[in-house]
Amino acid sequence: MLEIEVKARADHQQVKELLAGMGANFIGVQHHCDTYFNAPHRDFANTDEALRIRSVDGRSVMTYKGKKLDTVSKTREEFETEVDGGNARSILLALGFYESGVVKKTREIFKYGNMTICLDSVGSLGEFIEVEITAESDIEFHSKQIFSFLDKLGIGKEDSIRTSYLEMVLEK
Amino acid sequence: MLEIEVKARADHQQVKELLAGMGANFIGVQHHCDTYFNAPHRDFANTDEALRIRSVDGRSVMTYKGKKLDTVSKTREEFETEVDGGNARSILLALGFYESGVVKKTREIFKYGNMTICLDSVGSLGEFIEVEITAESDIEFHSKQIFSFLDKLGIGKEDSIRTSYLEMVLEK
């Protein structure tokens, strides 16, 4: 499964007004505590992979993201499974994986057609928008759709950020 | 959490009659398909660890078992979490883990006090009994309890098998 995703900085107040005008559906708010792990046998900072346990309001999900598949969006191969967060962490640590960082954020989620729009407030990093389409293929087609949508929110292709929140947090 | 466990070959018909006489509770029958994985950065055949996804009647559990902690039982550190079996497998393969073998068995489960008794019929390997106690500590105390219980079933300490089903399957 592919996650075709574009991220940019955004003024949430302004974006919410535009989303309301378009008739986008508000889905809900989530509080994420994301723990990222690195591997004992290769450095995910070099391979551009990610392994994460996300805790969302009591539930935990383990996600693997492969390296980015194109040069403009953040499209990656992605697999995820709900887990017992504490035990999944213990399994990873026992296998030699280690924690590389923690990202805490509040995510407001909207749906518009086949797109999921996330307005993320990430600790000291500020406000962001992530627009995602989940698909089996057709990266280019779906990327175009996302950029065309972002354009209506006043966000251009040149505003796209491919740096992960983890990288931004670690750079601070 | 520790899994204090002793395994031996056993005639299931005979053991079941003895368990019935003791008043052990029959819990149920499970059909297991266990896929074992090996790691890209160390060989579990040498480190005596195990990483498994067990599929039981539609549900999947990922389990890590550390190396054996004593010389007579099969006591190990163990962590497990329910997972989406297909996606958990995809995550492990993407991380560089690979399948080392598959073990299929039918397990009849009984409870007797703090002990779980498993009567395993393992493909072409035959019939086995596994007696387990889950505890935070006190390996020696619990091992003694298990061996004393097995003694009543006519199974001596010398009958204890520390070889895993996976190792037996791979040796075939």
Side-chain angles (χ1 to χ4, degrees):
Chain A
M1 191 61 79
L2 294 173
E3 183 199 52
I4 298 136
E5 178 186 308
V6 178
K7 178 165 77 181
R9 289 197 175 271
D11 178 322
H12 284 183
Q13 199 49 49
Q14 192 180 314
V15 168
K16 278 184 215 174
E17 283 164 21
L18 291 165
L19 288 176
M22 288 175 184
N25 290 315
F26 175 62
I27 304 296
V29 181
Q30 294 179 343
H31 302 278
H32 293 178
C33 179
D34 294 346
T35 304
Y36 288 86
F37 293 85
N38 207 335
H41 56 298
R42 56 193 196 227
D43 185 353
F44 290 166
N46 296 328
T47 60
D48 189 29
E49 298 164 277
L51 182 62
R52 178 185 75 197
I53 297 178
R54 167 168 294 171
S55 162
V56 191
D57 308 321
R59 291 174 60 207
S60 293
V61 174
M62 182 189 289
T63 303
Y64 167 85
K65 296 185 183 215
K67 66 176 196 290
K68 297 182 195 78
L69 295 176
D70 72 2
T71 53
V72 287
S73 74
K74 292 179 73 235
T75 306
R76 303 156 168 273
E77 191 177 43
E78 177 171 323
F79 305 110
E80 64 183 27
T81 171
E82 191 162 338
V83 291
D84 171 305
N87 284 347
R89 180 176 178 280
S90 295
I91 290 173
L92 291 179
L93 296 179
L95 290 170
F97 289 75
Y98 57 94
E99 285 188 15
S100 50
V102 174
V103 177
K104 291 183 183 182
K105 66 175 176 291
T106 301
R107 168 166 284 184
E108 294 174 86
I109 304 170
F110 298 80
K111 284 290 267 182
Y112 184 70
N114 61 339
M115 285 178 282
T116 303
I117 299 122
C118 302
L119 301 187
D120 290 342
S121 300
V122 190
S124 58
L125 298 178
E127 295 185 348
F128 299 84
I129 185 171
E130 281 197 353
V131 182
E132 296 175 15
I133 294 176
T134 301
E136 291 292 353
S137 58
D138 294 323
I139 297 178
E140 203 175 339
F141 174 80
H142 294 298
S143 298
K144 268 189 193 165
Q145 197 194 345
I146 293 176
F147 281 114
S148 151
F149 171 76
L150 282 171
D151 192 56
K152 292 180 199 153
L153 301 177
I155 296 165
K157 214 165 181 169
E158 67 284 2
D159 300 320
S160 166
I161 299 173
R162 299 177 78 239
T163 313
S164 68
Y165 295 135
L166 175 64
E167 288 165 315
M168 292 187 208
V169 164
L170 294 179
E171 274 166 19
K172 276 228 155 189
Chain B
M1 191 62 75
L2 294 172
E3 182 198 55
I4 298 136
E5 179 185 308
V6 178
K7 178 165 78 181
R9 287 197 175 271
D11 177 321
H12 284 181
Q13 199 48 51
Q14 192 179 314
V15 168
K16 278 185 214 172
E17 284 165 19
L18 291 165
L19 288 175
M22 288 176 183
N25 290 316
F26 176 63
I27 304 298
V29 182
Q30 293 179 343
H31 301 276
H32 294 180
C33 179
D34 295 346
T35 305
Y36 288 86
F37 293 85
N38 207 336
H41 56 298
R42 57 194 195 224
D43 185 352
F44 291 166
N46 296 328
T47 60
D48 190 26
E49 297 164 276
L51 182 63
R52 179 186 74 199
I53 296 178
R54 168 168 293 170
S55 160
V56 190
D57 307 320
R59 292 173 60 207
S60 293
V61 175
M62 182 190 289
T63 304
Y64 167 84
K65 298 185 181 213
K67 65 175 196 289
K68 297 182 195 79
L69 295 176
D70 73 2
T71 52
V72 289
S73 75
K74 293 179 72 236
T75 306
R76 302 156 169 272
E77 193 176 40
E78 177 170 322
F79 304 110
E80 64 182 28
T81 172
E82 191 161 339
V83 291
D84 173 305
N87 284 347
R89 180 176 177 280
S90 295
I91 290 173
L92 291 179
L93 296 179
L95 290 170
F97 289 75
Y98 57 94
E99 285 189 15
S100 50
V102 173
V103 176
K104 292 185 183 179
K105 65 174 178 288
T106 301
R107 168 167 284 184
E108 294 173 86
I109 304 170
F110 298 80
K111 283 290 269 183
Y112 185 70
N114 60 340
M115 285 178 283
T116 303
I117 299 121
C118 302
L119 301 187
D120 290 343
S121 300
V122 191
S124 58
L125 298 178
E127 296 184 345
F128 298 84
I129 184 171
E130 280 197 351
V131 183
E132 296 176 15
I133 295 175
T134 301
E136 291 291 351
S137 58
D138 294 323
I139 296 178
E140 202 176 341
F141 174 81
H142 293 298
S143 296
K144 267 189 192 163
Q145 197 196 343
I146 292 175
F147 281 115
S148 152
F149 170 76
L150 283 171
D151 192 57
K152 291 182 200 151
L153 301 177
I155 295 164
K157 214 166 182 168
E158 68 284 1
D159 299 320
S160 166
I161 298 172
R162 299 176 77 240
T163 312
S164 70
Y165 294 134
L166 175 64
E167 288 166 315
M168 291 186 208
V169 164
L170 294 178
E171 274 167 17
K172 275 228 156 189

